[in-house]
Amino acid sequence: MSDTTTHPTAGFAAAAAGAAEGARVGDFLQLLKPRVMSLVVFSGIAGMVAAPSHLHPLLAAVAVLCIAVGAGASGAINMWYDRDIDAIMSRTCRRPIPAGRIEPSEAAGFGVVLAIGSVGLMGLAINWLAGGLLAAAILFYVFVYTMWLKRRTPQNIVIGGAAGAFPPMIGWAAVTGHLALAPIMLFLLIFMWTPPHFWALALFRAGDYAKAGVPMLPVVAGARATKIQMLIYTLVLFPIALAPWALGIAGNLYGAAAVVLGGFFILAAVSVFLDRTDRSAKRMFAFSILYLFLLFALIITDRAPGLLGSLPAGVLW
Amino acid sequence: MIDRNRRARNIALLIALLGFVALIYGITIVRMSGH
């Protein structure tokens, strides 16, 4: 391992000396937070597929591309703004900026250009409701979550989580040109899922966040209070996850899976509550990703026949 | 190594730009066909 990855301050010095000249294409891709992007894209596709209409395949691909690039742009701008705390935390100190592989200004420019480009293309090629929602998600993530809430309140990821919940609404709006109850319920599903997902991570990374001065709930209120909150959120999430089935945008298989997966999510929260070690929190964090992935995969597979024209229109306002 | 990285970045940028132009052509054709 090189010095620049073990000593972040050395990384900053290297960046100042023009280290970006040696930046690899992969470093720029890393700025886009590809793992976060994949879940965002997946939930965006679910919103598109669940909508009671369809887009030309090329336009659908453009909409997905815009959602992906918009999410990536948010990630790049977030990495630019958070480069000081990223350098302190062991989870993030090897990111391209703190490691000195990309200059901060270059990352910021990259993010802003992609943000404007994705919103502009979405608006011009698809429709301006989808473009506006994409812009709102990016602006919310950058200004409300990253710049305002993240360093100020333990409710940072509760309110900030709204940004990550936008994609199903964007996907739906791209296809239909309007919003309805169903995509709003998909928004709520991700919104209520985010706190237990993120706090599971924060529980076993609490030392990192404390070192960087980020007031995550386990740092400010302690592990026990966090675990109680996580349990409450998983209980509230349970009926919300059933809404797509109740509204008719997902079938019985989804409904059954939402009950089983929701039950396991609650059990995971109980297990975290009873466990004095980090083991259950790590397991719950991994399961939370699988939970959301499977629910959206089932919405997509339930609706796939509809894309071929063999399914009646969904339940709408 | 730096030259190699720079060349790779330039090629990636070129591919992205060509892809973008092709995409705009595609969108225009699809939109003009009434979709």
Side-chain angles (χ1 to χ4, degrees):
Chain A
M1 192 178 283
S2 71
D3 276 349
T4 50
T5 55
T6 49
H7 301 292
T9 48
F12 279 128
E21 278 301 297
R24 292 169 301 158
V25 174
D27 291 327
F28 283 93
L29 293 179
Q30 212 184 323
L31 281 180
L32 304 177
K33 297 192 176 179
R35 274 183 296 182
V36 174
M37 187 201 278
S38 62
L39 206 54
V40 165
V41 165
F42 202 62
S43 60
I45 291 173
M48 291 174 71
V49 172
S53 181
H54 68 276
L55 270 178
H56 183 281
L58 180 73
L59 298 180
V62 169
V64 172
L65 179 73
C66 289
I67 292 172
V69 173
S74 308
I77 299 170
N78 170 275
M79 281 200 206
W80 160 74
Y81 189 81
D82 277 347
R83 61 193 184 279
D84 55 339
I85 54 175
D86 279 354
I88 297 168
M89 300 203 294
S90 57
R91 185 173 69 90
T92 52
C93 69
R94 282 179 292 278
R95 284 177 174 176
I97 303 174
R101 299 194 301 275
I102 289 182
E103 285 185 57
S105 59
E106 205 168 10
F110 182 61
V112 169
V113 166
L114 290 184
I116 294 171
S118 61
V119 169
L121 186 60
M122 182 73 103
L124 291 170
I126 311 297
N127 64 62
W128 280 106
L129 177 61
L133 287 169
L134 182 61
I138 295 170
L139 293 172
F140 197 89
Y141 186 73
V142 170
F143 290 103
V144 178
Y145 171 67
T146 303
M147 296 186 182
W148 181 29
L149 299 174
K150 184 173 177 179
R151 302 179 192 219
R152 284 180 175 81
T153 167
Q155 295 299 310
N156 49 14
I157 52 103
V158 177
I159 305 162
F166 268 76
M169 293 203 300
I170 299 169
W172 182 289
V175 174
T176 65
H178 64 263
L179 283 176
L181 182 59
I184 292 171
M185 292 314 292
L186 295 177
F187 170 92
L188 267 183
L189 171 60
I190 303 177
F191 184 73
M192 299 307 289
W193 164 88
T194 304
H197 161 74
F198 229 114
W199 285 334
L201 170 78
L203 276 173
F204 62 87
R205 293 284 187 185
D208 237 10
Y209 283 114
K211 200 166 66 175
V214 179
M216 294 299 286
L217 195 61
V219 176
V220 175
R224 186 180 155 79
T226 305
K227 289 171 181 180
I228 292 171
Q229 294 268 331
M230 286 166 70
L231 186 55
I232 292 169
Y233 273 95
T234 53
L235 289 169
V236 175
L237 181 62
F238 189 89
I240 291 173
L242 285 171
W245 169 75
L247 290 169
I249 60 164
N252 291 335
L253 183 62
Y254 171 92
V259 170
V260 174
L261 290 168
F264 277 121
F265 207 23
I266 292 168
L267 280 179
V270 171
S271 171
V272 168
F273 183 73
L274 297 174
D275 191 356
R276 288 178 182 276
T277 70
D278 289 342
R279 199 180 303 165
S280 298
K282 285 178 182 169
R283 267 208 306 266
M284 184 170 177
F285 178 70
F287 178 75
S288 66
I289 296 167
L290 182 70
Y291 170 89
L292 201 65
F293 179 82
L294 285 177
L295 286 186
F296 280 112
L298 282 167
I299 289 175
I300 292 170
T301 51
D302 269 4
R303 298 289 294 189
L307 295 176
L308 302 172
S310 62
L311 210 70
V315 175
L316 288 173
W317 282 355
Chain B
M1 180 59 92
I2 285 176
D3 278 350
R4 227 171 60 187
N5 287 342
R6 187 185 292 152
R7 196 171 58 202
R9 287 205 308 270
N10 289 342
I11 291 170
L13 192 60
L14 185 65
I15 291 169
L17 286 173
L18 288 175
F20 185 72
V21 172
L23 200 61
I24 297 299
Y25 267 110
I27 292 167
T28 307
I29 290 165
V30 169
R31 281 297 193 197
M32 284 176 72
S33 71
H35 284 93

